[in-house]
Structure formats: C-alpha cells, structure tokens
Amino acid sequence: MTILVTGGAGFIGSNFVLDWLAGSDEQVVNLDALTYAGNLENLATVDGDPRHVFVKGDIGDAELVTRLLKEYQPRAVLNFAA
Ligand SMILES: NC(=O)c1ccc[n+]([C@@H]2O[C@H](COP(=O)([O-])OP(=O)(O)OC[C@H]3O[C@@H](n4cnc5c(N)ncnc54)[C@H](O)[C@@H]3O)[C@@H](O)[C@H]2O)c1
C-alpha cells in the first residue's frame, strides 16, 4: 500500500513522513516542488530508504499528478504543500 504526501519536504510534511516511516511499512510517495521552504535535508535520515519515493514537482502539474496517481495508486493523499 502507498500514500501520497504533497509538500513532504516542508516543516510539517517532512515530520509527518519521518513519523510515518518510523511506524509503518507503507510506502510514501513524496511530491514537493522544493520551494524556499522545502529542504531535502529534513529527510536525510530516510535517504536511500526504498519506502520513500521523492518526486520533485508541482502539485499544480496535472499531468504529473495524474501519472503518480496511476502509477502508485495511493490509498490516501495528504496535502501539506503551501
Ligand atoms: N507550520 C505551522 O505552524 C502551521 C500551522 C497551521 C497550518 N499550517 C499549514 O500546514 C501546511 C504546511 O505547513 P508547513 O509549515 O509545513 O509549510 P512549509 O512552507 O514548511 O512547507 C510547505 C512545503 O510545500 C512545498 N510546496 C509549496 N508549493 C508547492 C507546490 N505547488 N507543489 C509542491 N510542493 C509545494 C514546499 O517546497 C515545502 O516543502 C500549510 O498549508 C500551512 O498553512 C501550518
């Protein structure tokens, strides 16, 4: 099973992702545009973890979001992008 987290490199999103991966085997697809607020260093401890799939992109990119939904079929989407 997979969840899609948007804005998962930001303050709340990255803490959510780390907490999620610490307590679940479920895969997290993390879509973040890496604006001034996004920082992959927030996610350094899960770098290389196969359960964490980071995708750099914009939630407004309908083609990208459609592709991710089709490919990963997440059971839930959590939006922290802002
Ligand atoms: N931090 C708080 O105290 C607080 C309190 C209440 C509500 N919120 C809300 O929670 C949400 C997250 O807050 P935060 O503090 O983690 O914000 P943040 O600015 O730290 O993180 C936002 C993340 O979203 C990403 N992002 C921005 N635009 C994007 C786009 N178009 N596509 C993909 N990614 C994009 C940024 O790169 C960043 O990683 C916001 O909606 C905020 O308003 C935050």
Coordinates of all heavy atoms in Angstrom, one line a residue:
M1 N 0.9 -1.2 0.0 CA 0.0 0.0 0.0 C 0.9 1.2 0.0 O 2.0 1.2 0.5 CB -0.9 0.0 1.2 CG -1.8 -1.1 1.3 SD -3.4 -0.8 0.5 CE -4.4 -0.6 1.9
T2 N 0.3 2.3 -0.5 CA 1.1 3.5 -0.7 C 0.2 4.7 -0.3 O -1.0 4.7 -0.5 CB 1.5 3.7 -2.2 OG1 2.3 2.6 -2.6 CG2 2.2 5.0 -2.4
I3 N 0.9 5.7 0.3 CA 0.2 7.0 0.5 C 1.0 8.1 -0.3 O 2.2 7.9 -0.5 CB 0.1 7.4 2.0 CG1 1.5 7.6 2.6 CG2 -0.8 6.4 2.7 CD1 1.4 8.3 4.0
L4 N 0.3 9.1 -0.8 CA 0.9 10.2 -1.5 C 0.9 11.4 -0.5 O -0.2 11.8 0.0 CB 0.2 10.5 -2.8 CG 0.6 11.8 -3.5 CD1 2.0 11.7 -4.0 CD2 -0.3 12.0 -4.7
V5 N 2.1 11.9 -0.3 CA 2.2 13.1 0.6 C 2.7 14.3 -0.3 O 3.7 14.1 -1.0 CB 3.2 12.9 1.7 CG1 3.4 14.2 2.5 CG2 2.7 11.8 2.6
T6 N 2.0 15.4 -0.3 CA 2.5 16.5 -1.0 C 3.0 17.6 -0.1 O 2.5 17.8 1.0 CB 1.3 17.1 -1.9 OG1 0.3 17.5 -1.0 CG2 0.9 16.1 -2.9
G7 N 4.1 18.2 -0.5 CA 4.7 19.2 0.5 C 5.5 18.5 1.6 O 5.8 19.0 2.6
G8 N 6.0 17.3 1.3 CA 6.6 16.5 2.3 C 8.1 16.8 2.6 O 8.7 16.1 3.4
A9 N 8.6 17.9 2.0 CA 9.9 18.3 2.3 C 9.8 19.6 3.2 O 10.9 20.2 3.6 CB 10.7 18.6 1.1
G10 N 8.6 20.0 3.5 CA 8.4 21.2 4.3 C 8.5 20.9 5.8 O 8.8 19.7 6.2
F11 N 8.1 21.8 6.6 CA 8.2 21.7 8.1 C 7.3 20.6 8.6 O 7.7 19.6 9.2 CB 7.9 23.0 8.7 CG 7.8 23.0 10.2 CD1 8.9 22.5 11.0 CD2 6.6 23.4 10.9 CE1 8.8 22.5 12.4 CE2 6.5 23.3 12.3 CZ 7.6 22.9 13.0
I12 N 6.0 20.7 8.3 CA 5.1 19.7 8.9 C 5.2 18.4 8.0 O 5.2 17.3 8.6 CB 3.6 20.2 8.9 CG1 3.5 21.5 9.8 CG2 2.7 19.1 9.3 CD1 2.1 22.1 9.8
G13 N 5.2 18.6 6.7 CA 5.2 17.4 5.8 C 6.4 16.5 6.1 O 6.2 15.2 6.1
S14 N 7.6 17.0 6.3 CA 8.7 16.2 6.5 C 8.6 15.4 7.8 O 9.0 14.3 7.9 CB 10.1 16.9 6.4 OG 10.1 17.9 7.4
N15 N 8.1 16.1 8.8 CA 8.0 15.4 10.1 C 6.9 14.3 10.0 O 7.1 13.3 10.6 CB 7.6 16.5 11.2 CG 8.8 17.2 11.7 OD1 9.7 16.6 12.4 ND2 9.0 18.4 11.4
F16 N 5.9 14.6 9.2 CA 4.9 13.6 9.0 C 5.5 12.3 8.3 O 5.3 11.2 8.8 CB 3.7 14.1 8.1 CG 2.7 13.0 7.8 CD1 1.7 12.7 8.7 CD2 2.9 12.3 6.7 CE1 0.8 11.7 8.4 CE2 2.0 11.2 6.4 CZ 0.9 11.0 7.2
V17 N 6.3 12.6 7.3 CA 6.9 11.5 6.5 C 7.8 10.7 7.4 O 7.8 9.4 7.4 CB 7.7 12.0 5.3 CG1 8.6 10.9 4.7 CG2 6.7 12.6 4.3
L18 N 8.7 11.4 8.2 CA 9.6 10.6 9.1 C 8.8 9.8 10.1 O 9.1 8.6 10.4 CB 10.5 11.6 9.8 CG 11.5 12.4 8.9 CD1 12.3 13.3 9.8 CD2 12.4 11.4 8.1
D19 N 7.8 10.4 10.7 CA 7.0 9.7 11.7 C 6.2 8.5 11.1 O 6.2 7.4 11.6 CB 5.9 10.7 12.3 CG 5.2 10.1 13.5 OD1 5.9 9.8 14.5 OD2 4.0 9.9 13.4
W20 N 5.7 8.7 9.8 CA 5.0 7.7 9.1 C 5.9 6.5 8.9 O 5.6 5.3 9.2 CB 4.5 8.2 7.8 CG 3.6 7.2 7.1 CD1 4.0 6.3 6.2 CD2 2.2 7.0 7.4 NE1 2.9 5.5 5.8 CE2 1.8 5.9 6.5 CE3 1.3 7.6 8.2 CZ2 0.5 5.5 6.5 CZ3 0.0 7.1 8.2 CH2 -0.4 6.1 7.4
L21 N 7.1 6.7 8.4 CA 8.0 5.7 8.0 C 8.6 5.0 9.3 O 9.0 3.8 9.2 CB 9.2 6.2 7.2 CG 8.8 6.6 5.8 CD1 9.9 7.3 5.0 CD2 8.3 5.4 5.0
A22 N 8.6 5.7 10.4 CA 9.0 5.0 11.6 C 8.0 4.1 12.2 O 8.3 3.2 12.9 CB 9.3 6.1 12.7
G23 N 6.7 4.3 11.8 CA 5.7 3.5 12.4 C 4.9 2.6 11.4 O 3.9 1.9 11.8
S24 N 5.4 2.5 10.1 CA 4.6 1.8 9.1 C 5.5 1.3 8.0 O 6.6 1.9 7.8 CB 3.6 2.7 8.5 OG 3.1 2.1 7.3
D25 N 5.1 0.2 7.4 CA 5.9 -0.3 6.3 C 5.4 0.2 5.0 O 5.9 -0.1 3.9 CB 5.9 -1.8 6.2 CG 6.8 -2.4 7.3 OD1 7.8 -1.7 7.7 OD2 6.6 -3.5 7.8
E26 N 4.3 1.0 5.1 CA 3.7 1.5 3.9 C 4.6 2.5 3.1 O 5.2 3.4 3.7 CB 2.4 2.2 4.3 CG 1.4 2.2 3.2 CD 0.0 2.5 3.7 OE1 -0.2 2.7 4.9 OE2 -1.0 2.5 2.9
Q27 N 4.6 2.4 1.8 CA 5.4 3.3 1.0 C 4.9 4.7 1.0 O 3.6 4.9 1.0 CB 5.4 2.8 -0.4 CG 6.2 3.6 -1.4 CD 6.1 3.0 -2.8 OE1 5.0 2.7 -3.3 NE2 7.3 2.8 -3.5
V28 N 5.8 5.7 1.0 CA 5.4 7.1 0.9 C 5.9 7.7 -0.4 O 7.1 7.7 -0.6 CB 5.9 7.9 2.1 CG1 5.5 9.4 1.9 CG2 5.4 7.4 3.4
V29 N 5.0 8.2 -1.3 CA 5.5 9.0 -2.4 C 5.3 10.4 -2.0 O 4.3 10.9 -1.6 CB 4.6 8.7 -3.7 CG1 5.0 9.5 -4.8 CG2 4.7 7.2 -4.1
N30 N 6.5 11.1 -2.1 CA 6.5 12.5 -1.6 C 6.8 13.5 -2.7 O 7.8 13.5 -3.3 CB 7.7 12.5 -0.6 CG 7.9 13.8 0.1 OD1 7.2 14.8 -0.2 ND2 8.8 13.9 1.1
L31 N 5.7 14.2 -3.0 CA 5.8 15.2 -4.1 C 5.9 16.6 -3.6 O 5.1 17.1 -2.8 CB 4.5 15.1 -4.9 CG 4.3 16.2 -6.0 CD1 5.3 16.1 -7.1 CD2 2.9 16.1 -6.7
D32 N 7.1 17.2 -3.9 CA 7.4 18.5 -3.4 C 8.1 19.3 -4.4 O 9.0 18.8 -5.1 CB 8.2 18.4 -2.1 CG 8.3 19.7 -1.3 OD1 8.8 20.7 -1.8 OD2 7.8 19.7 -0.1
A33 N 7.8 20.6 -4.5 CA 8.4 21.5 -5.5 C 9.7 22.0 -5.1 O 10.4 22.7 -5.9 CB 7.4 22.6 -5.9
L34 N 10.1 21.8 -3.8 CA 11.3 22.3 -3.2 C 11.4 23.8 -3.5 O 12.4 24.3 -4.1 CB 12.6 21.6 -3.8 CG 12.7 20.1 -3.4 CD1 14.0 19.5 -4.0 CD2 12.7 19.9 -1.9
T35 N 10.4 24.5 -3.0 CA 10.5 26.0 -3.0 C 11.5 26.4 -1.9 O 12.1 25.6 -1.2 CB 9.1 26.6 -2.6 OG1 8.8 26.2 -1.3 CG2 8.0 26.0 -3.6
Y36 N 11.5 27.7 -1.5 CA 12.4 28.2 -0.5 C 12.1 27.4 0.8 O 13.0 27.3 1.7 CB 12.1 29.7 -0.2 CG 10.8 30.0 0.4 CD1 10.7 30.1 1.8 CD2 9.6 30.1 -0.4 CE1 9.4 30.3 2.3 CE2 8.4 30.3 0.2 CZ 8.3 30.4 1.5 OH 7.1 30.6 2.1
A37 N 10.9 26.9 1.0 CA 10.5 26.3 2.3 C 10.9 24.8 2.3 O 10.9 24.2 3.4 CB 9.0 26.5 2.6
G38 N 11.0 24.2 1.2 CA 11.3 22.8 1.1 C 12.8 22.5 1.2 O 13.6 23.2 0.7
N39 N 13.1 21.5 2.0 CA 14.5 21.2 2.2 C 14.7 19.7 2.3 O 14.2 19.1 3.3 CB 15.0 21.9 3.5 CG 16.5 21.8 3.6 OD1 17.2 21.0 2.9 ND2 17.1 22.6 4.5
L40 N 15.4 19.1 1.4 CA 15.6 17.6 1.5 C 16.4 17.2 2.7 O 16.4 16.0 3.1 CB 16.3 17.1 0.2 CG 15.3 17.0 -1.0 CD1 16.1 16.5 -2.3 CD2 14.2 16.0 -0.7
E41 N 17.2 18.1 3.3 CA 17.9 17.8 4.5 C 17.0 17.4 5.6 O 17.4 16.6 6.5 CB 18.8 18.9 4.9 CG 20.1 19.0 4.1 CD 21.1 20.0 4.6 OE1 21.0 20.4 5.7 OE2 21.9 20.4 3.8
N42 N 15.8 17.8 5.5 CA 14.8 17.4 6.5 C 14.5 15.9 6.5 O 14.0 15.3 7.4 CB 13.4 18.1 6.3 CG 13.5 19.6 6.5 OD1 14.3 20.1 7.2 ND2 12.5 20.3 5.9
L43 N 14.9 15.3 5.3 CA 14.5 13.9 5.1 C 15.8 13.1 5.0 O 15.8 12.0 4.5 CB 13.7 13.8 3.8 CG 12.4 14.5 3.8 CD1 11.9 14.8 2.4 CD2 11.4 13.7 4.6
A44 N 16.9 13.6 5.4 CA 18.2 12.9 5.3 C 18.2 11.5 5.9 O 18.8 10.6 5.3 CB 19.3 13.8 5.9
T45 N 17.5 11.4 7.0 CA 17.5 10.1 7.6 C 16.8 9.0 6.9 O 17.0 7.8 7.2 CB 17.0 10.2 9.1 OG1 15.6 10.7 9.0 CG2 17.8 11.0 10.0
V46 N 16.0 9.4 5.9 CA 15.3 8.3 5.1 C 15.9 8.3 3.6 O 15.3 7.7 2.8 CB 13.8 8.5 5.1 CG1 13.2 8.2 6.4 CG2 13.4 9.8 4.6
D47 N 17.0 9.0 3.4 CA 17.7 9.0 2.1 C 18.1 7.5 1.8 O 18.7 6.9 2.6 CB 18.9 9.9 2.2 CG 19.5 10.1 0.8 OD1 18.7 10.0 -0.2 OD2 20.6 10.4 0.7
G48 N 17.7 7.0 0.7 CA 18.0 5.7 0.3 C 17.0 4.6 0.8 O 17.1 3.4 0.5
D49 N 16.1 5.0 1.6 CA 15.0 4.1 2.1 C 14.1 3.8 1.0 O 13.4 4.8 0.5 CB 14.3 4.7 3.3 CG 13.3 3.8 3.9 OD1 12.7 2.9 3.2 OD2 13.1 3.8 5.2
P50 N 14.0 2.6 0.5 CA 13.1 2.3 -0.6 C 11.6 2.6 -0.4 O 10.8 2.7 -1.4 CB 13.3 0.8 -0.9 CG 13.9 0.2 0.4 CD 14.6 1.4 1.0
R51 N 11.2 2.7 0.9 CA 9.8 3.0 1.1 C 9.5 4.5 0.9 O 8.4 4.9 0.9 CB 9.5 2.7 2.6 CG 9.5 1.3 3.0 CD 9.4 1.1 4.4 NE 10.4 1.9 5.1 CZ 10.3 2.3 6.4 NH1 9.2 2.0 7.1 NH2 11.3 3.0 6.9
H52 N 10.6 5.3 0.7 CA 10.4 6.8 0.4 C 10.8 7.1 -1.0 O 11.9 7.0 -1.4 CB 11.2 7.6 1.4 CG 11.1 9.0 1.3 ND1 12.1 9.9 1.0 CD2 10.0 9.8 1.3 CE1 11.7 11.1 0.9 NE2 10.4 11.1 1.1
V53 N 9.7 7.5 -1.8 CA 10.0 7.9 -3.2 C 9.8 9.4 -3.3 O 8.7 9.9 -3.1 CB 9.0 7.1 -4.1 CG1 9.2 7.6 -5.6 CG2 9.1 5.6 -4.0
F54 N 10.9 10.1 -3.5 CA 10.8 11.6 -3.6 C 10.6 12.0 -5.0 O 11.4 11.5 -5.9 CB 12.0 12.3 -3.0 CG 11.8 13.8 -3.0 CD1 11.0 14.4 -2.1 CD2 12.4 14.5 -4.0 CE1 10.8 15.8 -2.1 CE2 12.2 15.9 -4.1 CZ 11.4 16.5 -3.2
V55 N 9.6 12.8 -5.3 CA 9.4 13.3 -6.7 C 9.4 14.9 -6.6 O 8.6 15.4 -5.8 CB 8.1 12.9 -7.3 CG1 7.9 13.4 -8.7 CG2 8.0 11.3 -7.3
K56 N 10.3 15.5 -7.3 CA 10.4 17.0 -7.3 C 9.4 17.4 -8.4 O 9.5 17.1 -9.6 CB 11.8 17.5 -7.7 CG 11.9 19.0 -7.6 CD 13.3 19.5 -7.9 CE 13.5 21.0 -7.8 NZ 12.6 21.8 -8.6
G57 N 8.3 18.2 -7.9 CA 7.4 18.6 -8.9 C 6.3 19.5 -8.2 O 6.2 19.6 -6.9
D58 N 5.4 20.0 -9.0 CA 4.4 21.0 -8.5 C 3.1 20.3 -8.5 O 2.7 19.6 -9.4 CB 4.4 22.1 -9.6 CG 3.6 23.3 -9.1 OD1 2.5 23.2 -8.5 OD2 4.1 24.5 -9.2
I59 N 2.3 20.5 -7.4 CA 1.0 19.9 -7.3 C 0.0 20.4 -8.3 O -1.0 19.9 -8.6 CB 0.4 20.1 -5.8 CG1 0.3 21.5 -5.4 CG2 1.2 19.3 -4.8 CD1 -0.6 21.7 -4.2
G60 N 0.4 21.6 -8.9 CA -0.4 22.1 -10.0 C -0.2 21.5 -11.4 O -0.9 21.8 -12.3
D61 N 0.8 20.6 -11.4 CA 1.1 19.9 -12.7 C 0.2 18.7 -12.8 O 0.5 17.6 -12.3 CB 2.6 19.5 -12.6 CG 3.1 18.9 -13.9 OD1 2.2 18.4 -14.7 OD2 4.3 18.8 -14.1
A62 N -0.9 18.9 -13.5 CA -2.0 17.9 -13.5 C -1.4 16.6 -14.2 O -1.8 15.5 -13.8 CB -3.2 18.4 -14.3
E63 N -0.6 16.8 -15.2 CA -0.1 15.6 -15.9 C 0.8 14.8 -15.0 O 0.6 13.5 -14.9 CB 0.8 16.1 -17.1 CG 1.0 15.1 -18.2 CD 1.7 15.7 -19.4 OE1 1.2 16.7 -19.9 OE2 2.7 15.1 -19.7
L64 N 1.6 15.4 -14.2 CA 2.5 14.7 -13.2 C 1.7 14.0 -12.2 O 1.9 12.9 -11.8 CB 3.5 15.7 -12.6 CG 4.3 15.2 -11.4 CD1 5.2 14.0 -11.9 CD2 5.1 16.3 -10.8
V65 N 0.7 14.8 -11.6 CA -0.1 14.2 -10.5 C -0.9 13.0 -11.0 O -1.0 12.0 -10.4 CB -1.0 15.3 -9.9 CG1 -2.0 14.7 -8.9 CG2 -0.2 16.4 -9.2
T66 N -1.5 13.2 -12.2 CA -2.2 12.0 -12.8 C -1.3 10.8 -13.0 O -1.7 9.7 -12.7 CB -2.8 12.5 -14.2 OG1 -3.7 13.6 -14.0 CG2 -3.6 11.3 -14.8
R67 N -0.1 11.1 -13.5 CA 0.8 9.9 -13.7 C 1.1 9.3 -12.3 O 1.1 8.0 -12.2 CB 2.1 10.5 -14.3 CG 3.2 9.4 -14.5 CD 4.3 9.8 -15.4 NE 5.2 10.8 -14.7 CZ 6.1 10.5 -13.8 NH1 6.1 9.3 -13.2 NH2 6.8 11.5 -13.3
L68 N 1.4 10.1 -11.3 CA 1.7 9.5 -10.0 C 0.5 8.7 -9.4 O 0.7 7.6 -8.8 CB 2.1 10.6 -9.0 CG 3.4 11.3 -9.3 CD1 3.7 12.5 -8.3 CD2 4.6 10.3 -9.3
L69 N -0.7 9.2 -9.6 CA -1.9 8.5 -9.1 C -2.1 7.2 -9.8 O -2.4 6.2 -9.2 CB -3.1 9.4 -9.3 CG -3.2 10.6 -8.4 CD1 -4.4 11.5 -8.8 CD2 -3.3 10.3 -6.9
K70 N -1.8 7.2 -11.1 CA -2.0 6.0 -11.9 C -0.9 5.0 -11.5 O -1.1 3.8 -11.3 CB -1.8 6.3 -13.4 CG -3.1 6.6 -14.1 CD -2.9 6.5 -15.6 CE -4.2 7.1 -16.2 NZ -3.9 7.9 -17.5
E71 N 0.4 5.5 -11.4 CA 1.5 4.6 -11.2 C 1.5 3.9 -9.8 O 1.7 2.8 -9.6 CB 2.8 5.3 -11.4 CG 4.0 4.4 -11.2 CD 5.3 5.2 -11.6 OE1 5.2 6.3 -12.2 OE2 6.4 4.6 -11.3
Y72 N 1.2 4.8 -8.8 CA 1.3 4.3 -7.4 C 0.0 3.9 -6.7 O -0.1 3.3 -5.7 CB 2.0 5.3 -6.5 CG 3.5 5.5 -6.9 CD1 3.9 6.5 -7.7 CD2 4.4 4.5 -6.6 CE1 5.2 6.7 -8.1 CE2 5.8 4.7 -7.0 CZ 6.1 5.7 -7.7 OH 7.4 5.8 -8.1
Q73 N -1.1 4.4 -7.3 CA -2.5 4.1 -6.8 C -2.5 4.3 -5.3 O -2.9 3.3 -4.6 CB -2.9 2.7 -7.2 CG -2.8 2.6 -8.7 CD -3.7 1.5 -9.3 OE1 -4.3 0.7 -8.6 NE2 -3.8 1.4 -10.6
P74 N -2.2 5.5 -4.8 CA -2.2 5.6 -3.3 C -3.6 5.5 -2.7 O -4.6 5.9 -3.3 CB -1.7 7.1 -3.1 CG -2.0 7.8 -4.4 CD -1.9 6.7 -5.5
R75 N -3.6 4.9 -1.5 CA -4.9 4.8 -0.8 C -5.3 6.1 -0.2 O -6.5 6.2 0.2 CB -4.9 3.6 0.2 CG -4.0 3.9 1.4 CD -4.2 2.8 2.4 NE -3.3 3.1 3.6 CZ -3.7 3.8 4.6 NH1 -5.0 4.2 4.7 NH2 -2.9 4.0 5.6
A76 N -4.4 7.0 0.0 CA -4.7 8.3 0.6 C -3.7 9.3 0.1 O -2.6 9.0 -0.3 CB -4.6 8.2 2.1
V77 N -4.2 10.6 0.1 CA -3.4 11.7 -0.3 C -3.4 12.7 0.9 O -4.5 13.1 1.3 CB -3.9 12.4 -1.6 CG1 -3.0 13.6 -1.9 CG2 -4.0 11.4 -2.7
L78 N -2.2 13.1 1.3 CA -2.1 14.1 2.4 C -1.4 15.4 1.9 O -0.3 15.3 1.4 CB -1.4 13.6 3.6 CG -2.1 12.4 4.2 CD1 -1.5 11.1 3.8 CD2 -2.0 12.5 5.7
N79 N -2.1 16.5 1.9 CA -1.5 17.7 1.3 C -1.0 18.6 2.4 O -1.7 19.2 3.2 CB -2.6 18.4 0.5 CG -2.0 19.7 -0.1 OD1 -0.9 19.7 -0.6 ND2 -2.8 20.8 0.0
F80 N 0.3 18.9 2.3 CA 1.0 19.8 3.2 C 1.7 20.9 2.4 O 2.4 21.8 2.9 CB 2.1 19.1 4.1 CG 1.5 18.1 5.0 CD1 1.7 16.7 4.7 CD2 0.8 18.4 6.1 CE1 1.2 15.7 5.5 CE2 0.3 17.4 7.0 CZ 0.5 16.1 6.7
A81 N 1.5 20.9 1.0 CA 2.1 21.9 0.2 C 1.4 23.2 0.3 O 0.2 23.2 0.3 CB 2.1 21.4 -1.3
A82 N 2.2 24.2 0.4 CA 1.6 25.6 0.6 C 2.6 26.6 0.1 O 3.8 26.4 0.2 CB 1.2 25.8 2.0
Ligands
LIG1 N1 3.6 25.5 10.4 C1 2.5 25.8 11.1 O1 2.6 26.2 12.3 C2 1.1 25.6 10.5 C3 0.0 25.8 11.3 C4 -1.3 25.6 10.8 C5 -1.4 25.2 9.4 N2 -0.3 25.1 8.7 C6 -0.5 24.7 7.3 O2 0.1 23.4 7.1 C7 0.7 23.4 5.7 C8 2.2 23.0 5.8 O3 2.8 24.0 6.6 P1 4.4 24.0 6.8 O4 4.7 24.9 7.9 O5 4.9 22.6 6.8 O6 4.8 24.7 5.4 P2 6.3 24.8 4.7 O7 6.3 26.1 4.0 O8 7.4 24.5 5.7 O9 6.2 23.6 3.7 C9 5.5 23.6 2.5 C10 6.1 22.6 1.5 O10 5.3 22.6 0.4 C11 6.2 22.7 -0.8 N3 5.4 23.3 -1.9 C12 5.0 24.6 -1.9 N4 4.3 24.8 -3.1 C13 4.2 23.6 -3.7 C14 3.7 23.2 -4.9 N5 3.0 24.0 -5.7 N6 3.8 21.8 -5.3 C15 4.5 21.0 -4.5 N7 5.1 21.4 -3.3 C16 5.0 22.7 -2.9 C17 7.4 23.5 -0.3 O11 8.5 23.2 -1.1 C18 7.5 23.0 1.1 O12 8.4 21.9 1.2 C19 0.4 24.8 5.1 O13 -0.8 24.7 4.4 C20 0.3 25.7 6.3 O14 -0.5 26.8 6.0 C21 1.0 25.3 9.2

